[in-house]
Amino acid sequence: MADYSYVREDMLPEREPPVSEVGIIGWLRENLFSGWFNSILTILSLMFIYMILAAIVPWLWTPTWGAGSLSECREIIADLGKQHGGACYGVITERWQQLLFGFYPDELRWRPILTFLGLFVALGPVLFSDVFPRKVLWFTGAYLFLAPWLMWGGAIWTPLLVAAGPALGYLAYRFLYGVIGNLGAVIVAVLVPILFWLFLVGPISSGLFSVIPLGLEVVESRLFGGFMLSVWIGVVAIAISLVLGVVLALGRQSDLLIVKYLSVGFIEFIRGVPLITLLFVASTLLNIFMPPGTNFDIILRVMIMATLFASAYIAEVVRGGLAALPRGQYEAADALGLDYWKAQRLIILPQALKISIPGIVSTFIGLFKDTTLVSIIGLLDPIGLTGSIRADANWNGIVWELYGFIALLFFLSCFAMSRYSMWLEKKLRKDHH
Amino acid sequence: MTTATEPEGGSFRPSMLIYDSRYRSATIQIVALIGFLLLIGWLVSNTVQNLADLGKSVGFGFLGEPAGYDINQRLLDYDSRDSHARAGLMGLLNTLLVAVMGCIMATIVGVIVGVLRLSNNWLIARIMTVYVEMFRNVPVLLWIVFSMAILIETLPAPSAYRGEDPAASMLLGGNVALTNRGFYVPEPLFGRMDEEGNPLSWRQGLGDVHLFGDAWLRFDVSLELIVVLSTLIAGILVSGLIRKRADRIQNRTGLRPRTWYWRAAVILLPTIIALWLMGFYLGKPELRGFNFAGGTHMRNSFIALWLALSLYTAAFVAEIVRGGILAISGGQTEAAAALGIRPRRIMSLVILPQALRVIIPPLISQYLNLTKNSSLAIAVGYMDLTGTLMGITLNQTGRELEAVMMTMLIYLLISLAISGAMNIYNNSVKLKER
């Protein structure tokens, strides 16, 4: 019998992996020091980070929240014995409300706050459709009319009457459908609310207000400012431009040549010029284009131009959504015998808009950032306010703290929105497969 | 042959315009067109009425009047007696200057950042992510005013360079001075003079060509520059011929001759000789009195705008580049390797052509955004098209309608030119399908 004594008969016990391959050390070796080149890069980056932090952190870490002026800040910093100066947060303690709300009256600030909170509830069923019950959509509908009322104030009758416009249109449609047919009824149903809004809402509202004076104190738009203004311009422009954008996108996809070229011309024109030129149109030309005697205030004019601007971009986003729908959806709608509008309303748009939401959010982020441009035509958005704060004798010469604060607020809101958009994109991709 | 659904001919009723699908689309289009024309007519009649009420007329005569303002950074000669049209031209050139330089820098930074975001090095990838998120999520206008503040607040004044033991010293061998008034860099010049101002031997200046006489479009081209550039172009053409010859030899024999030194020589040598003949030298900035003289003065406003626009756009470019690289699946590299292609040629023949097809279209739209964002120059006082034509010219002449419309039109033309270039490119790299 052969001698197999050299063959091991029992299994060796499992050994721990080498310390250098697991845990923190393993991770460091794999991700930071995986070769001489990577090691040099890592060391250089560490030095870079250290330099930046060493320059910024001592500056940031300065307890100057109570200072009432720049010179007071400098005294505090000198007392602390800081070599290279420090941040002066007194300006933020004193002015943060102005940076957030502009000159909106102190005692009425609950209104923009309420509007802002309401925005999240109203957007809930659209943005987080799994969490919010669909019934909240009713609130979204009401919010469209309540939000402007909360912001600008005035008689409660105005938003109610404005909301009654579409209802009147619907009634007109039902009433006329049997009399003059579908198309005529649709045209009348569109015209009735517009005429009602233009000519009847004002008189009826003031009439009702004189009988039952229910309402909020009026706040003029020139008092709007700060972040509130940026958010408000952005939200209004995106909300209205959603409607315009869908119409333009459908127009651009349409088989009707004239409609198509009108839409293409509008979209390409708006996308081809910088927003600042459109804002100059708002500040210098828009009143010239309107009938003599019309006088919109500047914020309203800016909102109009921002809406036109956003609608061109939304149109392109929606067009992307329409193009991304499989051809079979269109054919299936045709096969069911649906006409153009029914197919759009029931089959195409619900799906196309759903896949466009990330793009719409990105457009909103872009527009929100672009609202800072209104400071160039003299509106008091956060950047516009820095001018007036720095003109104050107490804060003359302050730079970094103000810009830093504004940048931080913009960063937080835009970063959160872009993360949401990425999350949604991922979710839609998962739903799809 | 007629089908049953078709109505009998000759019985046209007006209601068929709406209910007959043969006529309905025409009806809708004509209604849309009439509505559009009515809208335009309404706007025009309002405008005419309003302008008449204000006692203004519409005309472009103001463009010929003297502008009466200075433009501190300009590419061509200009003074305040020149016309508004020339002032606008200076603005347009400044817009194009910052747009082109911004696109170049945004591309370089963006490509580096985009590639590094995919780095195996965890720390580098994180730093680049922080960079991208930081720049993307803060308005570009804030970055512009921020970089202006950094330049003004942190850089030394020109006086810091003065004296025996200056607080600041010039960089790059005493050629570049960074001050809070802007950067002073060497300027390329031709035709050196001696101390008395006489041209050194036969290496004297050839002079300039004056184009367009005294008109607002006038500009001078230095003859030396023409000579040098034409030598360079001729060199490139000859190098192209050498490459073609190498191709022919490779096709015939299968062996490619080494030509790179020949090609480098025919481009570089004649150009260097031409530069020497024309007396090329760099005019260095020098401290005279309270400020620097000589060299090119790049003003703060330009630097701030350039840096902010390019770093902001670079964050978007980085994301595009990253997406483009990720879009090419690893199978492509493996398949190319399986065919026996060498790694460097895999990159240039397989990966890049496919990645570029994904990268270029959004990249060009970023260039378009950068060009449009350059109109924010007005926030730091860089005199671009917005600052001249839509800024001071508008305020001085009170011609809002003409000035704003012209500015929009010019930007529109620039945008259309860029997107036209994009379409040409897209068509050339489009997948050739059956």
Side-chain angles (χ1 to χ4, degrees), chain A residues 22 99 294 336 391:
Chain A
V22 289
L99 283 172
T294 340
L336 286 174

Side-chain angles (χ1 to χ4, degrees), chain B residues 74-343:
Chain B
R74 53 183 186 259
L75 292 174
L76 302 182
D77 74 301
Y78 165 88
D79 66 47
S80 56
R81 280 161 307 179
D82 275 313
S83 64
H84 282 295
R86 190 157 176 87
L89 178 68
M90 298 300 112
L92 174 62
L93 290 177
N94 279 346
T95 294
L96 294 177
L97 174 73
V98 77
V100 170
M101 304 240 329
C103 289
I104 293 173
M105 178 127 141
T107 314
I108 296 172
V109 177
V111 168
I112 294 174
V113 172
V115 171
L116 286 183
R117 267 198 87 178
L118 295 169
S119 159
N120 292 328
N121 189 318
W122 183 86
L123 199 60
I124 294 273
R126 285 302 161 286
I127 291 178
M128 294 306 151
T129 310
V130 168
Y131 166 82
V132 168
E133 295 296 349
M134 198 171 87
F135 272 89
R136 272 205 314 189
N137 288 315
V138 172
V140 62
L141 181 62
L142 204 54
W143 282 119
I144 292 173
V145 289
F146 206 71
S147 18
M148 188 70 176
I150 290 179
L151 291 181
I152 292 178
E153 304 272 333
T154 63
L155 289 177
S159 60
Y161 289 85
R162 214 146 34 109
E164 286 296 303
D165 184 25
S169 56
M170 292 170 78
L171 306 172
L172 298 177
N175 279 315
V176 178
L178 311 181
T179 75
N180 61 0
R181 291 192 202 171
F183 296 0
Y184 294 86
V185 293
E187 158 185 46
L189 291 171
F190 294 103
R192 199 185 283 266
M193 310 279 178
D194 63 11
E195 265 84 61
E196 281 96 49
N198 301 315
L200 279 175
S201 67
W202 44 272
R203 280 198 263 154
Q204 49 184 298
L206 292 179
D208 293 337
V209 194
H210 304 280
L211 293 177
F212 295 110
D214 275 338
W216 61 276
L217 267 176
R218 69 177 188 275
F219 65 97
D220 299 345
V221 184
S222 115
L223 274 176
E224 292 95 339
L225 191 64
I226 296 181
V227 170
V228 171
L229 281 183
S230 33
T231 321
L232 183 67
I233 292 170
I236 292 174
L237 289 179
V238 173
S239 143
L241 288 181
I242 296 179
R243 187 174 60 94
K244 273 194 184 143
R245 183 172 154 270
D247 284 347
R248 271 204 309 277
I249 294 179
Q250 187 180 17
N251 285 343
R252 211 172 52 229
T253 65
L255 292 174
R256 192 177 180 86
R258 260 168 188 269
T259 55
W260 66 265
Y261 39 86
W262 279 112
R263 294 175 61 192
V266 294
I267 295 179
L268 290 180
L269 279 184
T271 313
I272 290 171
I273 291 171
L275 281 174
W276 179 73
L277 284 178
M278 294 300 134
F280 175 82
Y281 70 104
L282 288 174
K284 290 186 185 180
E286 279 166 20
L287 194 61
R288 296 218 189 100
F290 290 102
N291 215 336
F292 282 90
T296 302
H297 180 195
M298 298 160 80
R299 279 175 191 273
N300 267 338
S301 49
F302 170 74
I303 306 262
L305 186 69
W306 178 40
L307 283 181
L309 282 179
S310 37
L311 292 181
Y312 177 81
T313 313
F316 292 87
V317 173
E319 284 301 273
I320 293 168
V321 169
R322 190 175 76 112
I325 295 174
L326 287 178
I328 308 305
S329 71
Q332 295 286 330
T333 320
E334 289 163 10
L339 287 174
I341 306 177
R342 276 172 284 145

Side-chain angles (χ1 to χ4, degrees), chain A residues 412-426:
Chain A
L412 291 179
S413 35
C414 295
F415 185 71
M417 285 188 281
S418 72
R419 286 294 124 146
Y420 164 78
S421 171
M422 281 161 69
W423 170 80
L424 188 70
E425 235 168 292
K426 211 179 266 173

Side-chain angles (χ1 to χ4, degrees), chain A residues 31 38 42 45 183 256-258 271-272 274 276 278 280 288-292 313 369 372 407 411 419, chain B residues 18 25 29 42 46-47 49-50 121-122 124 127 133 136-137 141-142 312 372 375-376 390 408 411 415:
Chain A
N31 289 304
N38 251 339
T42 305
S45 337
L183 193 73
L256 312 172
L257 268 193
I258 295 178
R271 280 160 44 95
I276 187 74
L278 293 175
F280 266 83
I288 296 184
F289 291 152
M290 289 293 122
Y313 286 82
K369 286 189 292 176
T372 49
F411 177 81
R419 286 294 124 146
Chain B
I18 294 174
S25 67
Q29 299 198 55
W42 183 68
N46 285 338
T47 310
Q49 176 79 43
N50 280 316
N121 189 318
W122 183 86
I124 294 273
I127 291 178
E133 295 296 349
R136 272 205 314 189
N137 288 315
L141 181 62
L142 204 54
Y312 177 81
K372 287 190 288 173
S375 58
L376 299 181
M390 208 169 72
M408 287 176 113
Y411 275 114
S415 303

Side-chain angles (χ1 to χ4, degrees), chain A residues 69-84:
Chain A
S69 71
L70 195 57
S71 47
E72 216 174 296
C73 271
R74 292 206 172 118
E75 279 166 28
I76 297 178
I77 293 166
D79 288 345
L80 287 170
K82 290 221 173 206
Q83 295 280 317
H84 301 290

